[in-house]
Amino acid sequence: MTILLLLLALRFAARHIRPFTAAAFVALATLSGAASAQNAGLRTLVVPGDEPVNVALFYPTVRSAGVVQLGPWRPVVSLGAPVSAEPLKGLILVSHGTGGNELAHHNLATRLAAEGYLVAAVRHPGDNWQDRSMITSGRYFGERPRQVSRVLDALLASPEWGARIPAGRIGALGHSAGGYTVLALAGAQAEPARAAQHCRSVLDDPGFCSLAQGPKAAQPAAAAPASAAPDGALVSVPDPRIRAVVALAPMAVVFTPESLKAVTVPVLLRVAEQDAVLTGPYHGGLVAANLATAQAATVPGAGHFAFMAQPSQSLPSDAGDAAANPAGFDRVAYHAVLEAQVVQFFAQQLK
């Protein structure tokens, strides 16, 4: 499997990522070639409360893993396996896009788990494939990050996990509205009124602005709507326990440039070149322009859903088919590259 991932990574990079240097390929090959004796286990957790939070826990295990069909997803896991006795490298919290679920990034989660991390992938109450009621609740921008913090609270207090999570080694990864979520946790501040102002003033961000009208179908979508403006004049929900963040095609137009400039948490930022849901310059481009320390790159040929695991069937949504890819773009091959980059980023930042 390791050799296959490396070959896929090299094939994708040779076709699409011209700026890579020879040194970068050597580093990627070294990282991918380091065989792991661990696989990914999978369990579920429910964090109680007025709005219980369902969580998929991916973790290292020495038990063999195999493909498991879970709806449209096919993660390579060992269900309910015992946790490896090796010390955890850290905890990574994962936030999906609006209308998504906790398995949407299972490929990244299983890779991180096999590398030794505990990964907690959140199903956001009120913003998932079954229920998107929070979008028009007036508490969207503050509540989404708080849900992730509540999961973190529960894991640190857990008799099983709390003592095993290394102090200071907590990261977060999010896609689309999840990208908003993790950047907010890193300290970026949202001004919800910016969304409505944006959609009144531009015509070339139709994906985001159509979703601003609210949910039309209970399927995975991608951005957060302008209708959430009653959150308040300024939404500030940082969680200083989170020490590194990966933001993939983030919904970011609501962030104030000043707050992005003030973020000190290390950020890995990836933007899709052919994003028809969140037009790059207004979202990921805003982050890159104002967060000078971000490790930012645009993925050639990629569409908005390129950062999600490849579903095994069509997944139509208000934002398009989450299983579809732009012509010529190989999502599976790209994921071999992305997984290596994410692993390397967290290894460097969570020491």
Side-chain angles (χ1 to χ4, degrees), residues 1 15 25 73 84 86 97 100 121 128 144 155 160 207 233 253 266-267 308-309 345:
M1 178 62 72
R15 291 180 180 176
F25 279 117
W73 312 110
S84 171
E86 294 293 319
N128 57 69
R144 237 182 175 271
L155 287 170
E160 179 176 11
V253 72
V267 173
M308 289 172 58
F345 173 75

Side-chain angles (χ1 to χ4, degrees), residues 24 40 63 68 76 113 131 143 152 172 187 198 209 280 295 297 302 309 320 325:
R63 182 179 290 178
V68 178
V76 180
D131 175 16
E143 185 60 17
L152 177 53
H198 170 70
C209 294
Q295 298 180 30
N325 299 294

Side-chain angles (χ1 to χ4, degrees), residues 115-173:
E115 294 287 340
Y117 294 89
L118 171 63
V119 181
V122 178
R123 183 195 303 177
H124 286 279
D127 188 21
N128 57 69
W129 71 281
Q130 294 174 308
D131 175 16
R132 293 177 65 200
S133 58
M134 187 170 65
I135 289 178
T136 55
S137 69
R139 57 192 182 94
Y140 189 92
F141 294 106
E143 185 60 17
R144 237 182 175 271
R146 291 188 190 102
Q147 290 171 349
V148 176
S149 290
R150 285 200 292 274
V151 172
L152 177 53
D153 291 341
L155 287 170
L156 292 177
S158 164
E160 179 176 11
W161 298 108
R164 300 195 61 177
I165 298 171
R169 296 185 183 179
I170 299 172
L173 178 151

Side-chain angles (χ1 to χ4, degrees), residues 42-48 52-58 91-94 101-103 118-125 147-148 150-152 154-155:
L42 174 61
R43 299 179 188 173
T44 59
L45 169 72
V46 178
V47 177
V53 183
N54 291 284
V55 183
L57 292 178
F58 300 83
L91 165 64
I92 309 299
L93 299 147
V94 177
N101 65 45
E102 65 274 30
L103 297 177
L118 171 63
V119 181
V122 178
R123 183 195 303 177
H124 286 279
Q147 290 171 349
V148 176
R150 285 200 292 274
V151 172
L152 177 53
L155 287 170

Side-chain angles (χ1 to χ4, degrees), residues 138 141 190-193 228-235:
F141 294 106
E191 190 174 28
D231 260 303
L234 198 64
V235 178

